[in-house]
Amino acid sequence: MTRVGDAPLLQTTVAPEWIDYNGHMNDAAYARVFSLACDALMEAIGLDDAVRRASQRTIYTLQVMLHYFHEAKLGEAIAVSARVLERDAKRLRIWMTMTRARDGERLAASEQLLLSVDTSGPSPRAAPWSADVAEALARLAARAEGIDLPPEAGRGITLRRGKS
Amino acid sequence: MTRVGDAPLLQTTVAPEWIDYNGHMNDAAYARVFSLACDALMEAIGLDDAVRRASQRTIYTLQVMLHYFHEAKLGEAIAVSARVLERDAKRLRIWMTMTRARDGERLAASEQLLLSVDTSGPSPRAAPWSADVAEALARLAARAEGIDLPPEAGRGITLRRGKS
């Protein structure tokens, strides 16, 4: 199991198909990278593909915030790490940070609200985390205890805060 | 010029490469669709590819919120519309809604904070909207006047609000 907090969830390189007309990584490609990191997080908490198929449990995404801090350029090595912000019986709120490998510069961050879903019935429905997953989430959450929240966590979008 | 508010910015069909292991449109594919809609918005306000090249002005994305309301399935026809929430000399805050064509069901929404950027110098820098773009934005904003804000606009992510 990946020890989230110790090692990045995902390490990759900015691919040519992620570059847009502005010559930098497109906004939707950041979402793609964070989505791949979220897949890695699911593996880390015991919800890999085999478990998903056997248990008919999965995760649906309810809400995603993306913060763009710096441009990512073609071929740059990047990494994504994650921490738990909050959780309850069926939901998980996480914070992911994308950094540039060469200098650790924070390129972007994503706050995500995720829902535990049971797909065994006629239509998908919210369901409590299985005991194994709940335990894995508790271990993950313990790693973030006492660490300051990212200043952007929980914030919505407005023009009135900050200057560009 | 597309008359935003009258016609959708973007109409498309859920593509096979957008479907994930959950059998529905992947969270990052929604971001892709909203990014394409944002490209269409740029054309609608007079920042198409030719103008971007000639003027060395473009838009960078500062922040994106995605709300996932319903699953989008393979082959479904979808449409994205947009409205202006706020703007200032260099920035634009918009709200986009993705609907299912057959019944108008709201599948997702995205709130985005966009920055006017001048790429003519050694490095990109924030710059006021050109007069033409500012006028186009004023016309767009006028279309949304008096229309209630979407209830989710400006909201951050938390577990404490609502139930799943």
Side-chain angles (χ1 to χ4, degrees):
Chain A
M1 181 183 288
T2 306
R3 290 172 46 106
V4 182
D6 297 351
L9 275 177
L10 182 77
Q11 298 184 72
T12 189
T13 300
V14 178
E17 63 268 28
W18 294 346
I19 302 297
D20 68 13
Y21 48 76
N22 285 325
H24 61 202
M25 190 155 85
N26 179 258
D27 63 295
Y30 285 78
R32 179 85 187 120
V33 170
F34 283 118
S35 181
L36 292 171
C38 201
D39 291 348
L41 180 73
M42 289 176 74
E43 292 197 17
I45 60 173
L47 269 174
D48 59 26
D49 192 53
V51 172
R52 285 197 303 263
R53 287 169 193 271
S55 66
Q56 296 183 283
R57 292 299 185 87
T58 189
I59 284 178
Y60 281 13
T61 306
L62 296 180
Q63 211 174 334
V64 168
M65 175 70 94
L66 298 156
H67 300 269
Y68 301 89
F69 301 128
H70 288 286
E71 296 176 282
K73 298 288 193 169
L74 179 62
E76 282 185 334
I78 55 177
V80 179
S81 61
R83 62 175 284 187
V84 172
L85 294 178
E86 280 186 289
R87 66 193 201 287
D88 65 14
K90 301 176 184 177
R91 295 180 301 170
L92 174 64
R93 180 177 159 224
I94 57 167
W95 185 264
M96 293 192 280
T97 304
M98 181 192 299
T99 53
R100 189 164 56 199
R102 70 176 153 83
D103 59 0
E105 179 78 64
R106 195 173 69 141
L107 300 176
S110 182
E111 186 171 3
Q112 305 206 347
L113 186 59
L114 307 171
L115 178 68
S116 169
V117 170
D118 179 345
T119 61
S120 65
S123 60
R125 60 183 179 79
W129 303 108
S130 71
D132 288 353
V133 171
E135 270 177 42
L137 289 177
R139 285 194 299 272
L140 276 191
R143 290 174 185 278
E145 266 170 31
I147 302 173
D148 285 347
L149 285 183
E152 303 88 358
R155 280 198 194 159
I157 295 179
T158 171
L159 287 194
R160 289 180 297 281
R161 188 174 44 231
K163 295 270 292 173
S164 47
Chain B
M1 182 183 289
T2 306
R3 291 171 48 104
V4 182
D6 297 351
L9 273 178
L10 182 76
Q11 298 184 73
T12 188
T13 300
V14 178
E17 62 269 26
W18 294 347
I19 302 297
D20 68 13
Y21 48 77
N22 285 325
H24 60 204
M25 190 155 86
N26 179 258
D27 63 295
Y30 285 78
R32 179 84 188 120
V33 170
F34 283 118
S35 181
L36 292 172
C38 200
D39 290 347
L41 181 73
M42 289 175 74
E43 291 198 17
I45 60 172
L47 270 174
D48 60 27
D49 192 53
V51 173
R52 285 198 303 264
R53 287 168 194 271
S55 65
Q56 297 182 282
R57 291 299 185 87
T58 189
I59 284 178
Y60 281 12
T61 306
L62 296 180
Q63 210 174 336
V64 167
M65 176 70 94
L66 298 156
H67 300 270
Y68 301 88
F69 302 128
H70 288 286
E71 297 175 283
K73 298 288 193 168
L74 178 62
E76 282 184 335
I78 55 177
V80 179
S81 60
R83 62 175 284 186
V84 172
L85 294 178
E86 281 186 288
R87 66 193 201 287
D88 65 14
K90 301 176 184 178
R91 295 180 302 169
L92 174 65
R93 180 178 159 224
I94 57 166
W95 185 264
M96 293 192 280
T97 304
M98 180 193 300
T99 52
R100 190 164 56 200
R102 70 176 153 84
D103 59 0
E105 179 78 64
R106 194 172 71 140
L107 300 177
S110 182
E111 187 171 3
Q112 306 206 347
L113 186 58
L114 306 171
L115 178 68
S116 169
V117 170
D118 179 346
T119 60
S120 65
S123 60
R125 61 183 179 81
W129 304 108
S130 71
D132 288 352
V133 171
E135 271 178 39
L137 290 176
R139 285 194 298 272
L140 275 191
R143 290 174 184 277
E145 266 169 33
I147 302 173
D148 285 346
L149 285 183
E152 303 88 359
R155 280 199 194 157
I157 295 180
T158 171
L159 288 193
R160 289 180 297 281
R161 187 175 46 231
K163 297 268 292 171
S164 46

